[in-house]
Amino acid sequence: MSFSMNEEPRKLPRFLLALALSAVVHGAWAQDDADTDSDDAQTTEDANDTDLGRVEVTGSLIKRENFTSTSPMQVIDAESQFQAGQLSVADMLQQSTVAAGTTQLNNQFSGFVIQGGTGNETLNLRGLGADRSLVLINGRRPGASGTRGQTGPFDLNAIPDIATQRLEIVLDGSSSIYGSDAIAGVANIITRRSVDQTELTATMEAPFESGGEFYRVGVITGLNFDKGSVMLSAQWDKQEELTIGDRSYLECPQDLYWGTDGQRIDRENRSPVDLSDNGFGCNNLYFNTVLDATGQFGRLVPTADGSTVGPLPGYAPRYSGRYDVDGAAWFEDILDAEFLRSERAINERERSNIYATADYSFDFWGGVDWDAEFLWSNRQTTAEGWRQFFPVVYGAAVGFPYPDDPSYNPPVFGQPVMPYPSNYSADIDFYYFTTGLEGVLPTDNYWSWQAYASYSYSDGSYTNNAILNSQSGDIRFDTSPPRVDYFSPGILGGQDMQQLIDAVGTDVTGNTVYDQFQVTAIMSGELFQLPAGYLASAFGIEYRSFGIDDQPSQASQNSDLWGSTSALVTEGTNDVIEAFGELDIPLLAGMTGFESLDLNVSARAFDYKDGGSDWVWKAGLNWQVTPSIRLRTTAGTSYRAPSLYQLYLGDETSFGDQLGIDPCIDWINSTNDNIRANCAADGIPQDYSGFPSSSALIYSGGGAGNLNPETSDSFTVGMVWTPEFTDLNVSVDYYETTVNDQISSLGASGIVAGCYSGDNFPNAFCNLFTRVPGSDLNRPYNIDEVYDQFVNINKQTIDGVDITATWSGDFDFGTIRLEGNSSFYLENVYELFAPGSVAGFDQTDYVGSVGSPDNVSNFRANLDRHDWTFTYFLQYVSETDQSDFADEITTYFGYADARQDITMDAALYHNLSVFYEQDKWDLLVGINNLFDEEPDFVSSGAGLSRRGNVPVSASQYDLLGRRLWVRLNWRL
């Protein structure tokens, strides 16, 4: 069932017919599905005399004494999650069942380009993306934080963990209430406001194996007085790095193929270096080889016995054995070295923040309440890894002399492939300040007003070690030949790494500033009384402006970085003015079968400077059938305006190396069946090496003037059962959301790979790049140009079911509390182009694939006995596989009917903790991943980026292993 943003309001009653089938959910941990009060709903301030105890709850603008949301929600108590072993707000949100069913960007994406830069941690609800999951702090919108031009979503690293009280997640489209980005839902982070003593806290987490340790210290203090309160917190924490060498399942990636007899048939490692324990080698990095452009020697690699064939002493042309030709498969290439194990799987991160709140009630104008919040956060992240450096080195003898040294000739004309460090660091300061006033009007019916303003500012610098084109010795970019001998074994093999760094390297630094200003005014009150109660309402206006100024390094702007995309300045501002309203209409009450029946409707109109204008709506029914059975349903539309980086990303004309973007190079040795078939169908020789080569020209940039807002239709229906005979709460919720005109950039390598890895060929991806004809004498078969800009790309549809059950009981020995949350993901379908234009890519359902399990469940059991609390926490991730993207039975280097592992087994993680509390102190001790569950493996041909043999996208799996953690709180 779907609804268009362009439907007229007269069509809204259609969805009310669904009431006969409807049910509603209010999924939560420690939640009470009875009427929400000020203890379990987000409030802009504590209840006081001026507002008569009325509060504003997450998901609504209306202030009222009692409220039951029509939208499905999860409420997460921060202290309960700490006791379950989730030590940060980012962990609590990303590991919730409504988020953990899809890949979450956390601190283990070292070496990957992600939104906001390496180390940025965001929330992706239901797989719709962080751009479509709005994060609030106490009901107000903070701005983005991060580095590089693609800064957009809020960075969860800025949240003060020790000052967080609870998390409230609205799980349907909420743009009519909160504006842009609230397509998948809204996570509202509620902080502690009432603190009347000083509390010191210290936390440590230590894996049983070394690497990945975590430390945190903090203090929180406050003062409550007759008319207000103040609160101040400060914390510092550090996450130590986890290198791939710290865990056996990360340090040695292998092909992982099996024969028809069940035995491993991975290629034998016949190179001089083998650090594996089974003779199959570790495929960490391809280096220490020379690609001969003349074709005489092919690829030269070190020989195991030191013999020489060709111009380089100790090197000879490599030969890769195949089962169909040689009766066995082997490789002679260098793919591993001990120094490569310093690559970080989890980045080193250091964070500090200061957070303060204040509120005060004034006596003028019938009572006016003032509140303010301030947050400063600093994050420093460092990532270390490795990359290849493979410049084109020619000379006079082949007609390509260097202008600065026309007589230079290398021993081999082609590309030496060398290892080079790939390190990155970020230092980000984030500031957020908000202040507001609210009061009650002197009217017969209750009417309140509020106005607040917020400002956030992020200033981040980012540094990485780079290779300068102008010092690279690459004849395509440099007028001088190599400054060190690229063909010496010490440079090719990495032993003389520092010489290479001194010759070609430099550190480059960029800076990103993102700021946001918002002012909002809301009136809320009772219009008039109906037979079933007062018709409540809220109306308001909002203005928001936001801007980005990303200044990449000068070398990047000058296209002087080898192997990296040049980046121009991303600079622009946007603003929006919005008007919105909400009505809560009591239809029936106090009748048999209708304890209450309420209709909630809301709408918001918006007008962006860049991004268009439109309006969205939402309507919901809340039907309390009996005291123990409640049914709810919602339907509506939401929107997301183009992000600043999607509008104003600096136009880039960059160069892509053929080896980096063309899957048809050496396609005969590819483990992807489609690539082999489609490259052959395109007439590309099976031994095509990319030579003679020139870089592909890649056009990319922002889409200002061409992009439309994303729009969405959402529907939820569910039920909640709270029987009177026991303290049980069971809720079930079905949801469906369709996002239209999604904005995305496909990436140069993604475009080319999409063309050749599709089930059908050619397809629409193939229209986004050009290839030089094979008859060209200078660069036959080279990729020529790739067109990669932000575009609106049809739609994404998700649907699924959430189930929650909670129960508590008092016994002589204590109180037992049980809770289970389970999210079943039924569909997550992307349509990249119009159906039929890309056979095999028109509709792709990611549910059940690696990184997108179809079920994620949590279970918790607590026993409270006197001063003790014992907690058992279980996390379940269902089995996933790549069957939609790779065949389990395939051909492996000429071995027919080989089997590869494309399945990740289900995972169960067990956490235990014991909490002991006294008046002045408390101690919490726990073990996470009690049985030391290791992440499962997949084969190299499964179509996934792996670290070791573990897919990077499988963020649901634990990389650290069993670990002990301790928290000590001391109250003064």
Side-chain angles (χ1 to χ4, degrees):
M1 184 173 185
S2 63
F3 300 87
S4 168
M5 286 185 63
N6 297 318
E7 286 188 273
E8 297 298 326
R10 61 183 174 83
K11 295 184 179 180
L12 295 183
R14 291 171 53 196
F15 91 96
L16 302 181
L17 298 177
L19 185 60
L21 302 174
S22 66
V24 98
V25 73
H26 188 225
W29 160 241
Q31 74 181 35
D32 182 0
D33 270 283
D35 291 344
T36 302
D37 59 25
S38 59
D39 289 331
D40 60 350
Q42 181 269 322
T43 66
T44 56
E45 60 175 87
D46 293 336
N48 54 53
D49 291 340
T50 61
D51 64 15
L52 303 178
R54 297 169 185 258
V55 296
E56 179 185 321
V57 301
T58 301
S60 176
L61 302 170
I62 298 173
K63 282 196 168 187
R64 62 202 105 188
E65 294 177 353
N66 297 299
F67 175 68
T68 304
S69 173
T70 59
S71 298
M73 295 179 64
Q74 271 199 8
V75 180
I76 300 172
D77 178 70
E79 177 59 25
S80 296
Q81 294 307 111
F82 277 127
Q83 294 182 22
Q86 295 175 356
L87 305 183
S88 71
V89 171
D91 288 343
M92 297 175 196
L93 288 171
Q94 292 183 340
Q95 295 179 30
S96 64
T97 58
V98 295
T102 191
T103 301
Q104 299 291 324
L105 294 183
N106 49 29
N107 200 30
Q108 59 190 53
F109 280 80
S110 179
F112 290 82
V113 178
I114 63 174
Q115 282 185 326
T118 296
N120 215 40
E121 299 193 44
T122 56
L123 175 64
N124 177 0
L125 290 173
R126 302 206 190 282
L128 287 176
D131 279 328
R132 302 172 192 94
S133 305
L134 182 62
V135 176
L136 307 175
I137 301 178
N138 294 320
R140 299 176 187 177
R141 178 196 295 252
S145 173
T147 58
R148 301 188 181 271
Q150 294 196 24
T151 296
F154 178 73
D155 183 5
L156 299 174
N157 284 295
I159 297 299
D161 300 317
I162 65 172
T164 299
Q165 181 179 22
R166 66 183 180 277
L167 314 170
E168 298 180 354
I169 309 175
V170 181
L171 294 169
D172 64 355
S174 300
S175 288
S176 61
I177 300 295
Y178 294 111
S180 179
D181 307 337
I183 286 179
V186 177
N188 191 11
I189 299 165
I190 313 301
T191 62
R192 297 171 63 180
R193 309 282 296 193
S194 179
V195 179
D196 57 3
Q197 59 184 335
T198 298
E199 182 176 299
L200 306 177
T201 182
T203 302
M204 180 192 73
E205 182 181 49
F208 281 49
E209 295 185 68
S210 64
E213 295 79 8
F214 174 78
Y215 314 95
R216 178 169 59 219
V217 294
V219 59
I220 185 168
T221 188
L223 177 65
N224 297 324
F225 43 92
D226 289 343
K227 294 187 176 182
S229 66
V230 294
M231 187 278 293
L232 175 67
S233 73
Q235 76 174 47
W236 170 89
D237 65 51
K238 185 172 185 180
Q239 172 72 61
E240 300 285 6
E241 73 275 8
L242 179 75
T243 68
I244 64 171
D246 289 330
R247 298 293 183 270
S248 60
Y249 42 83
L250 298 176
E251 68 175 352
C252 187
Q254 297 186 331
D255 287 350
L256 301 180
Y257 281 79
W258 288 262
T260 54
D261 59 357
Q263 300 299 309
R264 282 279 295 278
I265 59 170
D266 281 21
R267 296 173 298 165
E268 178 189 350
N269 180 8
R270 296 187 180 180
S271 77
V273 177
D274 189 357
L275 301 179
S276 69
D277 58 5
N278 56 14
F280 297 134
C282 301
N283 309 329
N284 273 308
L285 187 75
Y286 184 84
F287 68 102
N288 201 355
T289 187
V290 177
L291 282 65
D292 176 21
T294 68
Q296 182 179 0
F297 299 105
R299 301 190 183 198
L300 294 165
V301 298
T303 56
D305 58 3
S307 60
T308 300
V309 177
L312 293 182
Y315 287 72
R318 70 110 188 244
Y319 180 78
S320 298
R322 295 177 56 85
Y323 282 102
D324 55 350
V325 176
D326 307 289
W330 67 83
F331 64 90
E332 300 173 342
D333 310 86
I334 301 294
L335 301 175
D336 197 18
E338 190 64 43
F339 63 81
L340 296 176
R341 281 154 174 74
S342 66
E343 176 185 329
R344 294 179 177 178
I346 296 179
N347 298 318
E348 179 184 87
R349 182 198 65 208
E350 187 171 348
R351 300 185 302 177
S352 304
N353 66 58
I354 296 174
Y355 177 66
T357 68
D359 59 80
Y360 190 82
S361 296
F362 296 94
D363 294 329
F364 57 84
W365 293 349
V368 173
D369 299 325
W370 166 79
D371 70 82
E373 295 179 46
F374 171 77
L375 171 64
W376 166 78
S377 174
N378 174 264
R379 172 171 64 87
Q380 299 177 33
T381 299
T382 59
E384 294 183 3
W386 297 93
R387 60 182 290 196
Q388 297 170 316
F389 175 42
F390 41 91
V392 176
V393 182
Y394 287 170
V398 290
F400 293 95
Y402 288 90
D404 295 343
D405 188 356
S407 64
Y408 172 82
N409 282 297
V412 180
F413 301 100
Q415 288 182 287
V417 182
M418 300 159 276
Y420 196 84
S422 178
N423 303 330
Y424 172 90
S425 65
D427 189 343
I428 304 166
D429 286 301
F430 176 74
Y431 303 87
Y432 170 67
F433 177 75
T434 180
T435 185
L437 297 171
E438 62 178 300
V440 177
L441 298 177
T443 57
D444 292 336
N445 292 345
Y446 173 84
W447 279 92
S448 67
W449 60 271
Q450 64 170 305
Y452 65 86
S454 302
Y455 180 71
S456 59
Y457 180 87
S458 172
D459 187 347
S461 61
Y462 51 98
T463 300
N464 62 282
N465 64 322
I467 301 170
L468 293 176
N469 275 333
S470 55
Q471 295 178 195
S472 65
D474 191 320
I475 197 166
R476 297 170 297 178
F477 316 116
D478 194 358
T479 58
S480 297
R483 290 149 180 82
V484 294
D485 184 5
Y486 291 166
F487 300 91
S488 73
I491 295 293
L492 285 169
Q495 295 86 354
D496 299 329
M497 181 75 63
Q498 193 58 51
Q499 292 184 32
L500 180 63
I501 295 173
D502 293 341
V504 304
T506 188
D507 289 337
V508 294
T509 299
N511 182 261
T512 306
V513 171
Y514 193 108
D515 66 342
Q516 176 181 285
F517 172 74
Q518 176 179 333
V519 59
T520 303
I522 301 173
M523 293 279 292
S524 176
E526 298 166 342
L527 292 175
F528 48 84
Q529 188 167 14
L530 297 171
Y534 278 99
L535 192 158
S537 65
F539 305 93
I541 58 172
E542 181 172 293
Y543 171 79
R544 183 161 50 94
S545 64
F546 40 105
I548 189 172
D549 183 3
D550 176 61
Q551 300 284 335
S553 67
Q554 198 60 50
S556 180
Q557 295 184 49
N558 294 341
S559 299
D560 196 22
L561 300 183
W562 188 94
S564 299
T565 301
S566 66
L568 300 181
V569 172
T570 297
E571 184 176 11
T573 61
N574 202 1
D575 59 66
V576 61
I577 187 167
E578 300 176 292
F580 49 86
E582 179 185 4
L583 295 175
D584 197 60
I585 308 167
L587 302 178
L588 298 171
M591 301 172 59
T592 302
F594 292 91
E595 294 282 325
S596 64
L597 178 64
D598 299 320
L599 171 66
N600 182 274
V601 294
S602 57
R604 177 178 291 247
F606 57 90
D607 185 11
Y608 278 84
K609 183 187 75 172
D610 287 321
S613 60
D614 209 330
W615 71 284
V616 291
W617 60 269
K618 184 165 79 170
L621 271 178
N622 200 353
W623 180 11
Q624 190 75 45
V625 183
T626 69
S628 60
I629 297 177
R630 180 152 43 89
L631 308 177
R632 302 192 294 195
T633 185
T634 67
T637 59
S638 289
Y639 75 98
R640 185 183 78 85
S643 301
L644 289 175
Y645 71 86
Q646 293 170 336
L647 289 169
Y648 306 120
L649 187 67
D651 290 336
E652 299 173 354
T653 302
S654 59
F655 298 96
D657 192 275
Q658 300 293 324
L659 286 173
I661 66 172
D662 191 353
C664 289
I665 291 177
D666 196 26
W667 59 258
I668 190 62
N669 287 316
S670 173
T671 57
N672 185 295
D673 295 336
N674 284 346
I675 287 177
R676 293 196 301 270
N678 295 335
C679 292
D682 208 19
I684 299 170
Q686 66 179 23
D687 58 350
Y688 169 58
S689 64
F691 296 111
S693 81
S694 64
S695 296
L697 198 60
I698 302 171
Y699 298 97
S700 60
N706 299 315
L707 293 178
N708 298 314
E710 298 178 351
T711 61
S712 71
D713 308 310
S714 65
F715 170 72
T716 68
V717 59
M719 68 170 295
V720 61
W721 178 48
T722 54
E724 299 178 355
F725 59 83
T726 186
D727 191 6
L728 175 66
N729 181 314
V730 179
S731 57
V732 181
D733 173 55
Y734 170 80
Y735 63 89
E736 178 183 337
T737 300
T738 298
V739 184
N740 303 293
D741 296 323
Q742 278 194 341
I743 301 169
S744 181
S745 174
L746 303 177
S749 60
I751 288 171
V752 182
C755 172
Y756 290 103
S757 61
D759 289 340
N760 281 17
F761 176 85
N763 53 55
F765 284 106
C766 305
N767 298 329
L768 299 177
F769 70 93
T770 60
R771 187 182 283 278
V772 176
S775 59
D776 188 280
L777 298 179
N778 296 317
R779 49 195 189 107
Y781 303 108
N782 277 195
I783 301 291
D784 190 23
E785 296 180 342
V786 184
Y787 308 98
D788 178 32
Q789 293 181 308
F790 284 104
V791 292
N792 293 98
I793 54 168
N794 286 357
K795 66 181 181 181
Q796 178 185 0
T797 299
I798 62 166
D799 67 306
V801 175
D802 296 325
I803 301 175
T804 294
T806 65
W807 176 84
S808 64
D810 294 324
F811 301 90
D812 293 340
F813 55 82
T815 299
I816 293 179
R817 292 177 289 132
L818 305 178
E819 181 264 343
N821 291 302
S822 189
S823 291
F824 294 87
Y825 295 81
L826 304 179
E827 183 181 49
N828 186 359
V829 174
Y830 288 83
E831 293 186 10
L832 294 181
F833 296 91
S837 64
V838 188
F841 281 84
D842 50 351
Q843 289 190 343
T844 303
D845 189 352
Y846 286 91
V847 167
S849 63
V850 172
S852 298
D854 57 18
N855 177 241
V856 178
S857 300
N858 295 336
F859 172 77
R860 184 201 324 269
N862 288 94
L863 170 61
D864 296 326
R865 177 178 171 83
H866 305 306
D867 300 328
W868 298 84
T869 299
F870 304 89
T871 299
Y872 167 70
F873 187 62
L874 174 70
Q875 294 173 287
Y876 170 75
V877 180
S878 65
E879 177 184 290
T880 57
D881 68 68
Q882 291 293 100
S883 57
D884 288 339
F885 309 96
D887 294 325
E888 182 180 11
I889 304 302
T890 185
T891 299
Y892 177 73
F893 290 99
Y895 190 112
D897 298 325
R899 184 180 66 84
Q900 61 174 325
D901 188 351
I902 61 172
T903 300
M904 289 198 75
D905 292 340
L908 272 174
Y909 296 107
H910 304 261
N911 298 352
L912 291 177
S913 76
V914 178
F915 177 65
Y916 180 70
E917 184 175 25
Q918 293 293 287
D919 290 341
K920 291 296 185 179
W921 62 276
D922 60 69
L923 179 66
L924 178 62
V925 180
I927 296 180
N928 283 356
N929 196 352
L930 178 65
F931 298 109
D932 201 21
E933 177 89 6
E934 295 184 358
D936 197 21
F937 299 164
V938 296
S939 299
S940 60
L944 296 163
S945 295
R946 302 183 305 165
R947 183 168 275 121
N949 296 308
V950 180
V952 177
S953 60
S955 60
Q956 301 85 1
Y957 291 78
D958 178 30
L959 299 184
L960 289 169
R962 183 191 297 118
R963 52 202 183 274
L964 172 72
W965 53 272
V966 180
R967 186 193 69 182
L968 175 63
N969 291 336
W970 190 273
R971 291 173 286 276
L972 303 179

